[in-house]
Amino acid sequence: MGFTTLSSAINFYKNLEDTASRFYEKYARDENYSTMRELFLDLARDNIKQKNIILRTYQEAITDVLEVGSALEGLREEDYRLPKTPSAGSKNKDILEYALILEDCGIRFCFDVSIKIRTLLTDISRSFESAGKRKRERKMRVENALRSLI
Amino acid sequence: MVLLEEPIKSQVNLRNYVNGEWVEAETNVWRKIVNPATLKVIGKVPISGIRDLDKAVEAAAEAYPEWRKTPPVTRARYLYRLKNLMEEKFEELSRICVMEHGKVIDEARGETRRAIENVEVASGIPSLMMGYNLEDIAKDIDEYVIRQPLGVFACIAPFNFPLMVPFWFMPYAVATGNTYIIKPSPWTPISQTKIMELIDEVGFPPGVVNMIHGDAEVVNAILKHPRISGVSFVGSTPIGRDIIYKEAASHGKRVQAQCGAKNFIVVMPDTVVDQTVSSIITSFFGSTGQRCLSGANLVIVDEDGYFHKNMLEKIVDSARRIRIGYGLDEATQMGPMQSEDRKKRVVSYIEKGIEEGARLMLDGRDASIIGGYPENCFIGATIFDEVSPDMTIAKDEIFGPVMSVIRSRSLDEAIAMINKSNFGNAAAIFTSNGKMAKKFQYEVECGNIGVNIGIAAPMAFFPFSGMKDSFFGDLHGQGLEAVRFFTESKVVIQRWF
């Protein structure tokens, strides 16, 4: 289904960040993945921070003359659906590869929304763009961690 | 579909808020408050009488002398606390607005934000209220102007922005040292009741801010009350002009009556089409058209008909896909009309449009509603083409999601059409040509002008303007004009021997 209101897009983003944060926290606390603990805790905290920035920007920038509903046409929830999380006992490599999917999904969503609402709600667009750039940096950190396993 | 949780879980019986206390109205007359999307009764509001108003005025009048002596910077700090509480309760306030009005959640959040914005601006009162002076107007004689509050003011609020509109006035009134009485609309009174809970929590001195629920009897009493210095009103032109403005002014009160509208949106052939369509859809159909800044007449400037056809196709296509439902469903793009009577009124105008020969391109009476809600208050976007300016649907304020498309051969013709209207609330032009935009801005006789902006809603630090039959009075709500409305200039000439 498509995003028909800004509220629905924001809510979807919030859930994406919460899902990502829970994922990283789970594996950060799992002794079997202790080598990735610091990275994952940092990423989990950052998910919440980015979420709060976007939510605050939305809440502060939203106006009673919203013009965004139809501007989000073409964006569909199913294009940002995450696959099932790795099963119990997965290797570090599998966890990191899933993390890359998570980050990638976030990057795409943030930039796609940013572009769609750029001319109509600039503040929120800019925040999403900023979040997208930050996720690119995060993705690089995960890629580095994956490379160091090989 | 994500349905947000309703904050009102059981029926609320409202009370007045007078002198820092919740009091029962002295009345046996109550009105139901109905969620227009679900038709559930979510509350009951008392229709207060004159005695209830008298108590509020007495409380406000008694609170005034001390409040007026409170330093502006201290008064501002109450407003800072109010802002903080409104931010904490942002989501709850917004959802209450959805439940009693019907607008969608994004619109309600925008309304809450604008209300808070007015509190922020009014918090700057130590600067905003400053006077001015000149030394030595004659030898050893100085002259200066100070701005002083006047006493008790009142606001008669409309149904369509139940949270926001009182904030065009109240924060400035109390920041400048006046005391205040809000009379919410009996259709949508719960938002302000919630605000009074926050006012109470802030700890304003008793009597500084009061709320009386009621209808015509209380309104008439406000207009005539000898201890009320001024009245702010938002509503229809017949009521604003013929009752509020005349009665209040004849009783020596200051008045600001922000009234009805029939807003024109002019689209030039050089406009950026996709963004324009999005803005137009929001302007005409946002808040289900129940907005004094809503677009009503779309004037497409076109010499050969091709641009008109192309533009109209895109608009109709976009409007057809508007999702209609309950505003707490995050997928909903347009909510219901606030009541069945308001819907019936819109339907009667649609019938009139057909009768007068306009071409019905999109019929909102056929709209489907997502979520299985009762259709009583719902109506979809309606678009008429081939409308002429003398048709009823082009002249009357419909206050619903009805777009009348008028073709024009030139910008001059479009401007002449706009200026012929008795209303003068808002107008907008969509164009890439700066010269056209400047001409439009210069010549159009409307108070709120949009250039590539579909709804020219001023930020809180600007006045909410309006002209002709859209505004009665001299000073508008919001910003510096509100500060001037709530204060008088006292000129002092001073010499020391």
Side-chain angles (χ1 to χ4, degrees), chain A residues 1 3 13 32-33 44 46 52 55 78 82 89 91 94 107-108 110 113 120-121:
Chain A
M1 190 178 129
F3 294 106
Y13 168 78
N32 295 319
Y33 307 100
D46 192 62
N52 288 339
L55 288 181
E78 44 268 44
L82 294 167
K91 296 189 183 124
D94 298 324
I107 291 167
R108 283 187 298 111
C110 286
V113 170
L120 295 170
L121 269 173

Side-chain angles (χ1 to χ4, degrees), chain B residues 449-463:
Chain B
I449 301 289
V451 177
N452 297 318
I453 298 282
I455 301 174
M459 299 290 283
F461 30 90
F462 286 100

Side-chain angles (χ1 to χ4, degrees), chain A residues 4-5 7 58-59 66 73, chain B residues 106 109 113 282 321 330-331:
Chain A
T4 50
T5 64
S7 182
Y58 162 71
Q59 204 163 288
L66 197 66
E73 265 169 37
Chain B
D106 272 331
R109 288 172 182 150
R113 175 52 52 200
T282 303
R321 286 183 278 118
E330 284 193 311

Side-chain angles (χ1 to χ4, degrees), chain A residues 109-120:
Chain A
F109 183 81
C110 286
F111 280 112
D112 290 347
V113 170
S114 172
I115 289 167
K116 285 279 184 184
I117 64 174
R118 180 163 291 158
T119 53
L120 295 170

Side-chain angles (χ1 to χ4, degrees), chain A residues 1 4-8 11 58-71 73 119-120, chain B residues 2 87 90 105-106 109-110 113-114 164 275 278-279 282 291 321 323 330-333 454-455 457:
Chain A
M1 190 178 129
T4 50
T5 64
L6 184 59
S7 182
S8 59
N11 200 37
Y58 162 71
Q59 204 163 288
E60 287 175 2
I62 192 154
T63 75
D64 53 326
V65 294
L66 197 66
E67 293 180 328
V68 182
S70 58
E73 265 169 37
T119 53
L120 295 170
Chain B
V2 174
E87 296 282 7
F90 187 94
I105 186 64
D106 272 331
R109 288 172 182 150
R113 175 52 52 200
R114 187 76 74 195
M164 177 185 77
Q275 274 94 324
S278 198
S279 295
T282 303
R291 188 161 42 186
R321 286 183 278 118
R323 290 173 58 88
E330 284 193 311
T332 297
Q333 293 172 310
I455 301 174

Side-chain angles (χ1 to χ4, degrees), chain B residues 216 219-220 223 237-250:
Chain B
V219 168
N220 288 326
L223 300 176
T237 292
I239 305 278
R241 177 189 55 210
D242 302 330
I243 299 174
I244 305 293
Y245 183 61
K246 284 187 180 154
E247 277 297 311
S250 73

